[in-house]
Amino acid sequence: DQQVKQNSPSLSVQEGRISILNCDYTNSMFDYFLWYKKYPAEGPTFLISISSIKDKNEDGRFTVFLNKSAKHLSLHIVPSQPGDSAVYFCAASGASGGGADGLTFGKGTHLIIQP
Amino acid sequence: DAGVIQSPRHEVTEMGQEVTLRCKPISGHNSLFWYRQTMMRGLELLIYFNNNVPIDDSGMPEDRFSAKMPNASFSTLKIQPSEPRDSAVYFCASSTPADTQYFGPGTRLTVL
């Protein structure tokens, strides 16, 4: 049973528009949530994170929203750029910062930005 | 700065052979993680170490898999004997406790 779910395997968005990637989780013990971005033949790279005590975190074009009651988080990218085309993984951890505990990943969403 | 280094980048072997994957974490990081990515199961945690000590190996699929961290700058993941279903991309990641995990480029393993 998957504890972190990304129900959209792929998403196509026009350049300049907003990209919204969604993630659901089932484990109430998760305390910290992260988004990673992955290009082919490379390892995942950290993008943005949010602690369970917050409901929003913003970093430039990237914003992560957390709805604890719904066990749902989303990543908004605005405006979307061609370089944003990649696979995005949602991850969760029981440890603050995500560095002291293993991460539980979703299966990823392949974001394609159309010119 | 050098990131997490993994070797080899690609490994092709025959069923029954021993496979050893290697990882050098980022200097100063005291946590090291091994993950495996497959189409069926996605990215899953196999084992992780804090200060060279294995903390959680519940993700290791079978006794055929073993991992060691003899010092702060080196870790190995060994599969013996290997099977075709072990074919996957294996990632190593490192971190400090309050920081995020930094991933290596991965080792693509193919077992024929």
Side-chain angles (χ1 to χ4, degrees):
Chain A
D1 59 333
Q2 270 191 284
Q3 297 187 65
V4 177
K5 297 178 184 179
Q6 294 177 256
N7 291 321
S8 298
S10 66
L11 175 66
S12 184
V13 175
Q14 203 166 12
E15 181 180 357
R17 307 293 287 266
I18 184 171
S19 296
I20 301 176
L21 293 87
N22 294 303
C23 177
D24 297 294
Y25 64 95
T26 57
N27 190 337
S28 300
M29 299 301 291
F30 287 142
D31 200 41
Y32 200 78
F33 303 90
L34 309 92
W35 286 93
Y36 278 80
K37 178 179 179 180
K38 186 182 182 304
Y39 293 118
E42 295 183 9
T45 56
F46 170 73
L47 189 59
I48 192 169
S49 62
I50 188 166
S51 165
S52 61
I53 62 173
K54 294 185 174 182
D55 56 15
K56 177 183 174 181
N57 188 28
E58 194 171 350
D59 184 2
R61 296 186 298 114
F62 303 92
T63 303
V64 56
F65 295 92
L66 175 62
N67 182 333
K68 278 195 72 175
S69 60
K71 294 189 175 67
H72 176 83
L73 62 155
S74 60
L75 173 67
H76 292 211
I77 306 172
V78 55
S80 300
Q81 299 175 353
D84 296 331
S85 295
V87 177
Y88 289 78
F89 290 97
C90 173
S93 170
S96 177
D101 198 6
L103 298 176
T104 301
F105 282 89
K107 288 194 172 182
T109 296
H110 186 192
L111 176 64
I112 302 163
I113 305 302
Q114 305 277 8
Chain B
D1 288 342
V4 175
I5 298 172
Q6 292 188 246
S7 64
R9 291 294 309 275
H10 301 273
E11 176 80 36
V12 180
T13 189
E14 293 190 347
M15 182 174 66
Q17 297 297 307
E18 176 181 304
V19 174
T20 300
L21 311 181
R22 296 172 176 80
C23 175
K24 177 179 170 56
I26 294 172
S27 177
H29 284 190
N30 59 350
S31 295
L32 183 139
F33 306 81
W34 283 100
Y35 292 88
R36 178 172 70 173
Q37 184 182 23
T38 60
M39 290 293 292
M40 288 289 292
R41 300 176 66 88
L43 258 171
E44 52 180 346
L45 177 70
L46 299 178
I47 185 172
Y48 75 95
F49 298 81
N50 282 344
N51 297 314
N52 312 339
V53 176
I55 302 300
D56 182 359
D57 66 354
S58 59
M60 296 285 262
E62 299 172 32
D63 290 346
R64 298 184 295 107
F65 286 69
S66 62
K68 293 182 179 180
M69 192 163 186
N71 57 62
S73 59
F74 184 65
S75 177
T76 59
L77 178 67
K78 186 177 293 186
I79 309 171
Q80 181 186 20
S82 58
E83 296 182 3
R85 59 189 167 133
D86 301 331
S87 297
V89 181
Y90 291 81
F91 291 102
C92 176
S94 71
S95 71
T96 57
D99 198 2
T100 57
Q101 295 179 24
Y102 293 83
F103 283 74
T107 295
R108 180 174 294 276
L109 173 65
T110 303
V111 183
L112 303 174

